[in-house]
Amino acid sequence: DGQAPIEMTYDFAEVLASQTSRIQNFSLQMAAELDKKLYTLIEEEKNSGGKRKDHFLAAAHKVGEEFVRLKSYVAVNRLALDKIVKKHDKHAPLTFKQVFPKFFDTRKLIDITFFDAQILALSDFYAKLRGENVDKNIAIGTNFERQSIKYWVHPEDMMTVI
């Protein structure tokens, strides 16, 4: 009937858990390294007295590209995981979530929103290097006043943002 025995689902789950852990550990390690690079760069710029703006813009651009690559890596692996499980479910007598209902609760890949704080810090850093003033204090109340905040977006990701 083209369906795999239930024992194969358990083997599949072990391999999937192992690979998911590898992806998660690598992603967290890279995120920590990029976070350190970004905040080191921000501190170096503070201590430079406003000199070498071109150097800091180039370094910020490089860190931004690395964040984009990591975000893409996480997104592609999340999509791949979903597709692999879907393919498994086509050939197994029970769906993966029926056999392991808590699997994805305990083994989640980092969410791409994990990078929001770093992206905001990078955007603020770019604004500072360009001499722009970013006011983050938005008043809450009946007097609504629209404010714009500029964020750095890599040209390759423009369509994703739009």
Side-chain angles (χ1 to χ4, degrees):
D1 65 24
Q3 295 203 338
I6 194 75
E7 297 83 31
M8 289 182 74
T9 297
Y10 288 100
D11 294 339
F12 172 75
E14 285 180 29
V15 172
L16 192 64
S18 170
Q19 295 303 315
T20 302
S21 293
R22 285 182 61 205
I23 294 165
Q24 178 74 348
N25 292 340
F26 176 77
S27 300
L28 290 172
Q29 177 186 353
M30 292 305 298
E33 288 176 18
L34 287 174
D35 200 40
K36 184 178 178 183
K37 279 183 186 179
L38 175 60
Y39 289 104
T40 300
L41 186 63
I42 290 170
E43 284 301 314
E44 286 177 5
E45 192 277 332
K46 282 181 187 175
N47 297 332
S48 75
K51 299 175 185 168
R52 304 182 325 157
K53 278 189 179 182
D54 291 338
H55 162 74
F56 289 113
L57 278 170
H61 181 73
K62 184 176 177 184
V63 170
E65 285 180 339
E66 290 179 43
F67 270 117
V68 169
R69 277 195 299 274
L70 181 57
K71 181 188 100 24
S72 296
Y73 171 81
V74 169
V76 165
N77 278 287
R78 180 178 297 281
L79 180 64
L81 181 64
D82 290 341
K83 287 183 179 274
I84 289 168
V85 170
K86 188 176 179 181
K87 185 74 167 183
H88 167 272
D89 289 350
K90 283 185 177 181
H91 298 287
L94 296 171
T95 66
F96 193 76
K97 287 187 179 183
Q98 287 174 319
V99 179
F100 304 102
K102 304 249 184 222
F103 183 87
F104 292 106
D105 293 338
T106 59
R107 293 174 185 87
K108 289 185 177 180
L109 294 176
I110 61 176
D111 190 12
I112 57 174
T113 58
F114 178 83
F115 303 111
D116 286 354
Q118 290 88 351
I119 299 216
L120 286 173
L122 186 61
S123 295
D124 290 347
F125 187 57
Y126 267 110
K128 181 180 178 185
L129 290 173
R130 290 188 303 248
E132 298 171 357
N133 190 8
V134 179
D135 183 17
K136 293 183 184 178
N137 299 323
I138 299 174
I140 300 174
T142 57
N143 297 332
F144 175 77
E145 190 175 322
R146 182 170 303 279
Q147 294 184 356
S148 297
I149 299 175
K150 296 179 181 177
Y151 296 99
W152 176 84
V153 177
H154 195 280
E156 293 175 3
D157 293 325
M158 284 303 286
M159 295 310 294
T160 305
V161 173
I162 295 172

